[in-house]
Amino acid sequence: MIAQQSAEVAYIVEDLLVAARADIGKLPVHPARVNLAAELEVAVAPIEDGAISVDRVGEKTPVAFADDTRVRQILRNLLSNAVRYGGSEIVARCGSNRETAWLEVADNGEGIPEADVRAVFEPYVRSHNAEGQPLSVGLGLTVSLKLSELMGGSLTYRRDDGWAVFRLELPAAGSVHAISNVAKTGTLGH
């Protein structure tokens, strides 16, 4: 229990530092080929056995051109939100097409009220204040959105047939978007 709580505090500090660095334009992003299916398996492993089902959509392994450390940070935030605030079923899936590699974390919980959808991506905003739930700082989605944009991608929320779905989209490795970003700037997201 102490180790788990220490890790959670470390993640909060990491989110605070990332938010501060991103605000002043000093957050480095180091793009490389990232196997999203492998990252998803690693991120889900420490969570209670069977709590999250993992699916890969399509036969092709989804490979993004992104910063693996930042992808893990986004995944950690999305999965911890689903475990804390989501429903009894959580599904994480990934896939790709020619231009985009993507990850989704979905749960069958109440989801975010329509009026709060835009606000939950703002710093220090929480949609859920359920009794008995541990309070969070309210930076996870803000940081995740900033990181996705720095890597040339996006993070969105939608309600889909009773499921609350967060979707991270990143440039697929070898896509025109990924190649042109690196050619223009020498890095991704700057």
Side-chain angles (χ1 to χ4, degrees):
M1 184 171 84
I2 292 171
Q4 180 185 5
Q5 289 176 350
S6 295
E8 287 181 24
V9 169
Y11 296 148
I12 289 170
V13 170
E14 182 179 11
D15 282 347
L16 287 166
L17 291 172
V18 166
R21 288 181 185 139
D23 284 345
I24 61 171
K26 300 277 186 187
L27 183 66
V29 177
H30 305 287
R33 294 174 60 85
V34 179
N35 178 330
L36 296 184
E39 292 296 337
L40 192 54
E41 290 291 339
V42 169
V44 168
I47 299 170
E48 293 179 25
D49 291 333
I52 299 175
S53 65
V54 177
D55 294 319
R56 188 168 77 200
V57 177
E59 294 182 24
K60 185 177 159 189
T61 299
V63 179
F65 190 69
D67 184 318
D68 60 347
T69 300
R70 304 305 179 200
V71 169
R72 281 192 289 278
Q73 188 173 3
I74 294 168
L75 260 173
R76 186 175 54 246
N77 283 329
L78 297 179
L79 290 168
S80 69
N81 279 353
V83 168
R84 267 191 194 144
Y85 309 115
S88 59
E89 292 181 58
I90 301 171
V91 177
R93 54 187 165 253
C94 60
S96 63
N97 58 42
R98 199 169 144 186
E99 292 294 316
T100 305
W102 55 268
L103 290 162
E104 287 184 343
V105 175
D107 69 76
N108 67 342
E110 290 180 30
I112 299 170
E114 188 71 33
D116 293 345
V117 171
R118 291 180 67 120
V120 295
F121 289 103
E122 296 297 321
Y124 311 110
V125 172
R126 294 185 314 263
S127 177
H128 298 280
N129 289 315
E131 196 173 305
Q133 287 293 338
L135 294 178
S136 67
V137 175
L139 273 179
L141 291 175
T142 304
V143 166
S144 296
L145 177 62
K146 285 182 183 184
L147 291 175
S148 70
E149 291 170 349
L150 282 172
M151 293 185 290
S154 64
L155 178 63
T156 57
Y157 170 82
R158 72 179 188 279
R159 194 79 179 141
D160 188 8
D161 198 25
W163 289 80
V165 182
F166 282 93
R167 183 179 176 103
L168 170 66
E169 291 189 0
L170 297 165
S175 70
V176 172
H177 178 72
I179 293 166
S180 68
N181 248 358
V182 172
K184 272 192 291 189
T185 64
T187 186
L188 188 63
H190 298 291

